Amino acid sequence: MVINKNTRLIISDIDNTLIGDAEALNKLFEELRHADNLHFGVATGRRLDSAVSVLEEWQVPKPVIFITSVGSEIHYAPNLIKDEGWKKHINEQWEPERLKKTLETFTLAMQPKLSQREFKVSYFVDHTFELWQPKLDEYLQQNNLSANMIYSSGKFLDFLPKKASKGLAVRYLANKWGLPLKQFLVAGDSGNDEEMLTSGAFGIVVRNYSFELEKLKNNDNIYFANGSNAQGILEGIKHFNFLNSSLMR
Ligand code: GLC
Ligand code: MG
């Protein structure tokens, strides 16, 4: 992957954003194929292996950056090398065992073992979550537990180290490569995309978004597309004139 000062990156969520409409997906990559100095990456709640296989299934051209497990891991193509710097950066005040033990009071439903990662503890919740979220916040504070709590699609609840999220991972990349966030375009549909959409990059919310993102409306840097899935991404690219506009913004 060659990065220079004019490089632009499109980082997209996978489920319900990039995939879902095969025809639009084809159109999107047809458009991106002609762009110079552009890299494509994904940012997903999935594990790396699961991200790789669903992208193969949908015949998505190989991304160069994989932000996975809700931003707690970063890998780079072609050899899927892990970013150890990121791991080091987020590994601060992270006590997953004590966190899980403490959360037992809340009778949350644990996600399957495969969804639990070194830097991600995940549960299933329901729509009532917002009602008891303040209590949960308070309880974690009382117990001196630091974590980034992320609610998605009305049913997933992830706990990550305070410094980890899809959005913080995107900012880390911008910083690492010395690129302004305005050279990043991100796209998503649900709660775990929120920090990425408000990170300072250009953001696209696809039409089929989940209610948690409603609060991002009326924000100049965030475009709510009329099209769903990849169609919405295509539309957002045009809205921001992301592939053609001069870099002098
Ligand atoms: C993916 C992950 C799951 C996570 C969810 C929301 O579905 O598999 O563990 O809770 O994304 O981030
Ligand atoms: Mg999604």
mmCIF file with all atom_site columns, all heavy atoms in Angstrom, residues 13-17 43 153 166 188-190 192-193, ligand 2:
data_model
loop_
_atom_site.group_PDB
_atom_site.id
_atom_site.type_symbol
_atom_site.label_atom_id
_atom_site.label_alt_id
_atom_site.label_comp_id
_atom_site.label_asym_id
_atom_site.label_entity_id
_atom_site.label_seq_id
_atom_site.pdbx_PDB_ins_code
_atom_site.Cartn_x
_atom_site.Cartn_y
_atom_site.Cartn_z
_atom_site.occupancy
_atom_site.B_iso_or_equiv
_atom_site.pdbx_formal_charge
_atom_site.auth_seq_id
_atom_site.auth_comp_id
_atom_site.auth_asym_id
_atom_site.auth_atom_id
_atom_site.pdbx_PDB_model_num
ATOM   1  N  N   . ASP A 1 13  ? -18.220 0.428  6.540  1.00 0.00 ? 13  ASP A N   1
ATOM   2  C  CA  . ASP A 1 13  ? -18.765 -0.677 7.323  1.00 0.00 ? 13  ASP A CA  1
ATOM   3  C  C   . ASP A 1 13  ? -19.162 -1.767 6.329  1.00 0.00 ? 13  ASP A C   1
ATOM   4  O  O   . ASP A 1 13  ? -19.376 -1.483 5.143  1.00 0.00 ? 13  ASP A O   1
ATOM   5  C  CB  . ASP A 1 13  ? -19.985 -0.152 8.097  1.00 0.00 ? 13  ASP A CB  1
ATOM   6  C  CG  . ASP A 1 13  ? -20.804 -1.271 8.698  1.00 0.00 ? 13  ASP A CG  1
ATOM   7  O  OD1 . ASP A 1 13  ? -20.202 -2.169 9.323  1.00 0.00 ? 13  ASP A OD1 1
ATOM   8  O  OD2 . ASP A 1 13  ? -22.047 -1.270 8.528  1.00 0.00 ? 13  ASP A OD2 1
ATOM   9  N  N   . ILE A 1 14  ? -19.275 -3.011 6.786  1.00 0.00 ? 14  ILE A N   1
ATOM   10 C  CA  . ILE A 1 14  ? -19.646 -4.099 5.868  1.00 0.00 ? 14  ILE A CA  1
ATOM   11 C  C   . ILE A 1 14  ? -21.156 -4.387 5.908  1.00 0.00 ? 14  ILE A C   1
ATOM   12 O  O   . ILE A 1 14  ? -21.873 -4.091 4.952  1.00 0.00 ? 14  ILE A O   1
ATOM   13 C  CB  . ILE A 1 14  ? -18.828 -5.380 6.169  1.00 0.00 ? 14  ILE A CB  1
ATOM   14 C  CG1 . ILE A 1 14  ? -17.328 -5.120 6.006  1.00 0.00 ? 14  ILE A CG1 1
ATOM   15 C  CG2 . ILE A 1 14  ? -19.290 -6.509 5.248  1.00 0.00 ? 14  ILE A CG2 1
ATOM   16 C  CD1 . ILE A 1 14  ? -16.443 -6.328 6.310  1.00 0.00 ? 14  ILE A CD1 1
ATOM   17 N  N   . ASP A 1 15  ? -21.644 -4.917 7.033  1.00 0.00 ? 15  ASP A N   1
ATOM   18 C  CA  . ASP A 1 15  ? -23.033 -5.387 7.085  1.00 0.00 ? 15  ASP A CA  1
ATOM   19 C  C   . ASP A 1 15  ? -24.043 -4.247 7.025  1.00 0.00 ? 15  ASP A C   1
ATOM   20 O  O   . ASP A 1 15  ? -23.949 -3.276 7.784  1.00 0.00 ? 15  ASP A O   1
ATOM   21 C  CB  . ASP A 1 15  ? -23.255 -6.213 8.354  1.00 0.00 ? 15  ASP A CB  1
ATOM   22 C  CG  . ASP A 1 15  ? -22.451 -7.489 8.324  1.00 0.00 ? 15  ASP A CG  1
ATOM   23 O  OD1 . ASP A 1 15  ? -22.973 -8.492 7.829  1.00 0.00 ? 15  ASP A OD1 1
ATOM   24 O  OD2 . ASP A 1 15  ? -21.284 -7.464 8.766  1.00 0.00 ? 15  ASP A OD2 1
ATOM   25 N  N   . ASN A 1 16  ? -24.987 -4.379 6.134  1.00 0.00 ? 16  ASN A N   1
ATOM   26 C  CA  . ASN A 1 16  ? -26.046 -3.373 5.921  1.00 0.00 ? 16  ASN A CA  1
ATOM   27 C  C   . ASN A 1 16  ? -25.526 -2.070 5.333  1.00 0.00 ? 16  ASN A C   1
ATOM   28 O  O   . ASN A 1 16  ? -26.276 -1.104 5.201  1.00 0.00 ? 16  ASN A O   1
ATOM   29 C  CB  . ASN A 1 16  ? -26.808 -3.052 7.204  1.00 0.00 ? 16  ASN A CB  1
ATOM   30 C  CG  . ASN A 1 16  ? -27.580 -4.245 7.691  1.00 0.00 ? 16  ASN A CG  1
ATOM   31 O  OD1 . ASN A 1 16  ? -28.179 -4.954 6.887  1.00 0.00 ? 16  ASN A OD1 1
ATOM   32 N  ND2 . ASN A 1 16  ? -27.532 -4.489 8.981  1.00 0.00 ? 16  ASN A ND2 1
ATOM   33 N  N   . THR A 1 17  ? -24.240 -1.993 5.014  1.00 0.00 ? 17  THR A N   1
ATOM   34 C  CA  . THR A 1 17  ? -23.717 -0.787 4.366  1.00 0.00 ? 17  THR A CA  1
ATOM   35 C  C   . THR A 1 17  ? -23.129 -1.197 3.021  1.00 0.00 ? 17  THR A C   1
ATOM   36 O  O   . THR A 1 17  ? -23.745 -0.995 1.980  1.00 0.00 ? 17  THR A O   1
ATOM   37 C  CB  . THR A 1 17  ? -22.662 -0.090 5.246  1.00 0.00 ? 17  THR A CB  1
ATOM   38 O  OG1 . THR A 1 17  ? -23.224 0.192  6.523  1.00 0.00 ? 17  THR A OG1 1
ATOM   39 C  CG2 . THR A 1 17  ? -22.185 1.212  4.615  1.00 0.00 ? 17  THR A CG2 1
ATOM   40 N  N   . ALA A 1 43  ? -14.410 -1.252 7.939  1.00 0.00 ? 43  ALA A N   1
ATOM   41 C  CA  . ALA A 1 43  ? -14.440 -1.127 9.397  1.00 0.00 ? 43  ALA A CA  1
ATOM   42 C  C   . ALA A 1 43  ? -15.693 -1.852 9.865  1.00 0.00 ? 43  ALA A C   1
ATOM   43 O  O   . ALA A 1 43  ? -16.809 -1.442 9.515  1.00 0.00 ? 43  ALA A O   1
ATOM   44 C  CB  . ALA A 1 43  ? -14.481 0.338  9.815  1.00 0.00 ? 43  ALA A CB  1
ATOM   45 N  N   . SER A 1 153 ? -27.623 -1.307 16.319 1.00 0.00 ? 153 SER A N   1
ATOM   46 C  CA  . SER A 1 153 ? -28.749 -2.013 15.691 1.00 0.00 ? 153 SER A CA  1
ATOM   47 C  C   . SER A 1 153 ? -29.826 -2.413 16.687 1.00 0.00 ? 153 SER A C   1
ATOM   48 O  O   . SER A 1 153 ? -30.557 -3.384 16.457 1.00 0.00 ? 153 SER A O   1
ATOM   49 C  CB  . SER A 1 153 ? -28.258 -3.270 14.949 1.00 0.00 ? 153 SER A CB  1
ATOM   50 O  OG  . SER A 1 153 ? -27.183 -2.959 14.116 1.00 0.00 ? 153 SER A OG  1
ATOM   51 N  N   . LYS A 1 166 ? -14.252 2.245  15.989 1.00 0.00 ? 166 LYS A N   1
ATOM   52 C  CA  . LYS A 1 166 ? -13.963 2.384  14.557 1.00 0.00 ? 166 LYS A CA  1
ATOM   53 C  C   . LYS A 1 166 ? -13.455 3.801  14.291 1.00 0.00 ? 166 LYS A C   1
ATOM   54 O  O   . LYS A 1 166 ? -12.533 4.012  13.506 1.00 0.00 ? 166 LYS A O   1
ATOM   55 C  CB  . LYS A 1 166 ? -15.224 2.153  13.739 1.00 0.00 ? 166 LYS A CB  1
ATOM   56 C  CG  . LYS A 1 166 ? -15.741 0.727  13.720 1.00 0.00 ? 166 LYS A CG  1
ATOM   57 C  CD  . LYS A 1 166 ? -16.910 0.653  12.720 1.00 0.00 ? 166 LYS A CD  1
ATOM   58 C  CE  . LYS A 1 166 ? -17.577 -0.699 12.698 1.00 0.00 ? 166 LYS A CE  1
ATOM   59 N  NZ  . LYS A 1 166 ? -18.648 -0.759 11.682 1.00 0.00 ? 166 LYS A NZ  1
ATOM   60 N  N   . GLY A 1 188 ? -21.527 4.153  6.979  1.00 0.00 ? 188 GLY A N   1
ATOM   61 C  CA  . GLY A 1 188 ? -22.040 3.194  7.951  1.00 0.00 ? 188 GLY A CA  1
ATOM   62 C  C   . GLY A 1 188 ? -23.540 3.244  8.097  1.00 0.00 ? 188 GLY A C   1
ATOM   63 O  O   . GLY A 1 188 ? -24.227 4.057  7.461  1.00 0.00 ? 188 GLY A O   1
ATOM   64 N  N   . ASP A 1 189 ? -24.070 2.386  8.959  1.00 0.00 ? 189 ASP A N   1
ATOM   65 C  CA  . ASP A 1 189 ? -25.528 2.298  9.153  1.00 0.00 ? 189 ASP A CA  1
ATOM   66 C  C   . ASP A 1 189 ? -25.964 2.190  10.607 1.00 0.00 ? 189 ASP A C   1
ATOM   67 O  O   . ASP A 1 189 ? -27.144 2.296  10.894 1.00 0.00 ? 189 ASP A O   1
ATOM   68 C  CB  . ASP A 1 189 ? -26.084 1.064  8.428  1.00 0.00 ? 189 ASP A CB  1
ATOM   69 C  CG  . ASP A 1 189 ? -25.751 -0.218 9.187  1.00 0.00 ? 189 ASP A CG  1
ATOM   70 O  OD1 . ASP A 1 189 ? -24.552 -0.530 9.325  1.00 0.00 ? 189 ASP A OD1 1
ATOM   71 O  OD2 . ASP A 1 189 ? -26.679 -0.880 9.688  1.00 0.00 ? 189 ASP A OD2 1
ATOM   72 N  N   . SER A 1 190 ? -25.027 1.932  11.548 1.00 0.00 ? 190 SER A N   1
ATOM   73 C  CA  . SER A 1 190 ? -25.516 1.669  12.909 1.00 0.00 ? 190 SER A CA  1
ATOM   74 C  C   . SER A 1 190 ? -24.591 2.233  13.979 1.00 0.00 ? 190 SER A C   1
ATOM   75 O  O   . SER A 1 190 ? -23.558 2.842  13.674 1.00 0.00 ? 190 SER A O   1
ATOM   76 C  CB  . SER A 1 190 ? -25.735 0.165  13.113 1.00 0.00 ? 190 SER A CB  1
ATOM   77 O  OG  . SER A 1 190 ? -24.527 -0.465 13.452 1.00 0.00 ? 190 SER A OG  1
ATOM   78 N  N   . ASN A 1 192 ? -22.261 1.338  15.995 1.00 0.00 ? 192 ASN A N   1
ATOM   79 C  CA  . ASN A 1 192 ? -20.798 1.207  16.066 1.00 0.00 ? 192 ASN A CA  1
ATOM   80 C  C   . ASN A 1 192 ? -20.080 2.024  14.981 1.00 0.00 ? 192 ASN A C   1
ATOM   81 O  O   . ASN A 1 192 ? -18.855 2.118  14.967 1.00 0.00 ? 192 ASN A O   1
ATOM   82 C  CB  . ASN A 1 192 ? -20.342 -0.258 16.126 1.00 0.00 ? 192 ASN A CB  1
ATOM   83 C  CG  . ASN A 1 192 ? -20.507 -1.014 14.829 1.00 0.00 ? 192 ASN A CG  1
ATOM   84 O  OD1 . ASN A 1 192 ? -20.795 -0.425 13.785 1.00 0.00 ? 192 ASN A OD1 1
ATOM   85 N  ND2 . ASN A 1 192 ? -20.326 -2.319 14.881 1.00 0.00 ? 192 ASN A ND2 1
ATOM   86 N  N   . ASP A 1 193 ? -20.857 2.647  14.093 1.00 0.00 ? 193 ASP A N   1
ATOM   87 C  CA  . ASP A 1 193 ? -20.269 3.540  13.080 1.00 0.00 ? 193 ASP A CA  1
ATOM   88 C  C   . ASP A 1 193 ? -20.285 5.000  13.524 1.00 0.00 ? 193 ASP A C   1
ATOM   89 O  O   . ASP A 1 193 ? -19.685 5.856  12.866 1.00 0.00 ? 193 ASP A O   1
ATOM   90 C  CB  . ASP A 1 193 ? -21.049 3.432  11.757 1.00 0.00 ? 193 ASP A CB  1
ATOM   91 C  CG  . ASP A 1 193 ? -21.040 2.018  11.208 1.00 0.00 ? 193 ASP A CG  1
ATOM   92 O  OD1 . ASP A 1 193 ? -19.945 1.440  11.130 1.00 0.00 ? 193 ASP A OD1 1
ATOM   93 O  OD2 . ASP A 1 193 ? -22.116 1.495  10.874 1.00 0.00 ? 193 ASP A OD2 1
HETATM 94 MG MG  . MG  B 2 .   ? -23.433 -2.258 9.786  1.00 0.00 ? 2   MG  B MG  1
#
